[in-house]
Amino acid sequence: MAWGSFLMRNRIAVILALTVGIATAIVPGFASLTTLSLAVDRGAAMGIVAVGLTVLLIAGKIDLSVGSVFAVSGIVAIQLQPALGLWPAAIVGVLAGMLCGAINGFVTVQLKVNALVATLATMLMFRAVAHWLTDSQPLAGGHIMFSIELSRIYLDLFTARSALFLLLVLALHVWLSRTVGGRNLYAVGSNSEAAEASGLPVDRIVFLGFIFAGGMAGLAGVLQALATNTGSPVFGAEMTVAVIAAVVVGGTRIEGGRGSALGTLGGVLTIAALTTAMEFQSVPAYFQRIVAGLILILIVVLDRNVAAPPRGSPQAHPAE
């Protein structure tokens, strides 16, 4: 019983270790630094988006439009390069992501539309904007040498993008665990009505959470566009489910009130390792999505079983 409790409490580390162990045993050369650096870099784009979504899920909200924001921001960054230059265009691309997040926040907070419905609608709208901006064709950037530099591997393991992802995880961990703002976020996600009654600006916290999530999706989209020297309306089309799976695998509850940056890091690395291993084994993309969906369902079921109080306990039968 003690071992079972230990494994459930540390299931993120256990799942990651099992994933890497099985992949190493099945896939030749999976444990090499070259393969690991590939897995970490491919997980970085998803991971940066996951950093933003972690904050939003802890607050008890969700954003289904992050994949579309990812595409729009990258397109803006590539499209404006001839007029503004590389870095100003990249900054505008990130700001475009924050603007998309602000739109989501306005619809959810001010218009009182359910976040799931609101971001489902904006997901379709932002994706349509991406196709409109590009006439449904990929755009080529003008800085191919920078793309090569951005993909350079340092210390045999990290690219600039993966290093940035790890720094963002560390910063989020410090903010969530050491600041008043982080504690307020957990309070809002645990019980928004009680948080508002205690004087917390719940609407402002949620609104800023949407902006942050949009900004992180925008940053990831811009980095992807710069790394590939391309802005495409199909970028991020299948990202949302993978990001949500990574965050939930990392222990963040969809209902809000619980989650961590380090857990998200573990979830991202697990999904990245699993995806890389399946691709090395030539597993079809549609089957990879089935596996990701099954993992998401399994983790949610396990999470609820762990969180649920034992039958017969006082928590299981609250007072009327």
Side-chain angles (χ1 to χ4, degrees), residues 237-259:
E238 299 175 357
M239 171 176 281
T240 302
V241 173
V243 171
I244 294 175
V247 176
V248 174
V249 166
T252 300
R253 294 191 67 189
I254 293 180
E255 295 86 352
R258 194 181 76 195

Side-chain angles (χ1 to χ4, degrees), residues 60-121:
K61 302 298 180 181
I62 195 168
D63 185 353
L64 299 180
S65 70
V66 289
S68 299
V69 175
F70 181 91
V72 169
S73 298
I75 290 168
V76 169
I78 293 295
Q79 201 167 45
L80 293 180
Q81 280 184 3
L84 301 180
L86 176 65
W87 290 110
I91 292 172
V92 174
V94 176
L95 292 176
M98 296 176 69
L99 175 61
C100 292
I103 292 172
N104 287 332
F106 175 79
V107 174
T108 302
V109 174
Q110 296 299 322
L111 301 184
K112 306 299 181 184
V113 178
N114 179 277
L116 184 68
V117 177
T119 58
L120 178 61

Side-chain angles (χ1 to χ4, degrees), residues 37 41 144-154 158-161 223 226-228:
S37 65
D41 182 63
I144 184 64
M145 296 308 297
F146 183 79
S147 299
I148 296 174
E149 186 64 30
L150 195 61
S151 301
R152 186 186 300 274
I153 299 175
Y154 299 93
F158 301 106
T159 62
R161 181 165 54 175
L223 290 174
L226 294 179
T228 59

Side-chain angles (χ1 to χ4, degrees), residues 185-252:
L185 185 72
Y186 285 109
V188 170
S190 297
N191 191 325
S192 60
E193 293 180 358
E196 189 168 17
S198 66
L200 293 182
V202 173
D203 286 349
R204 182 164 66 89
I205 291 173
V206 171
F207 183 75
L208 291 176
F210 274 106
I211 293 178
F212 181 71
M216 289 297 99
L219 175 60
V222 168
L223 290 174
Q224 178 70 12
L226 294 179
T228 59
N229 198 39
T230 305
S232 172
V234 299
F235 277 175
E238 299 175 357
M239 171 176 281
T240 302
V241 173
V243 171
I244 294 175
V247 176
V248 174
V249 166
T252 300

Side-chain angles (χ1 to χ4, degrees), residues 55 58-59 172-189 200-201 204-206 208-209:
V55 169
I58 291 175
L172 180 60
H173 171 69
V174 172
W175 184 76
L176 287 175
S177 60
R178 302 294 179 86
T179 69
V180 175
R183 290 193 292 272
N184 290 345
L185 185 72
Y186 285 109
V188 170
L200 293 182
R204 182 164 66 89
I205 291 173
V206 171
L208 291 176

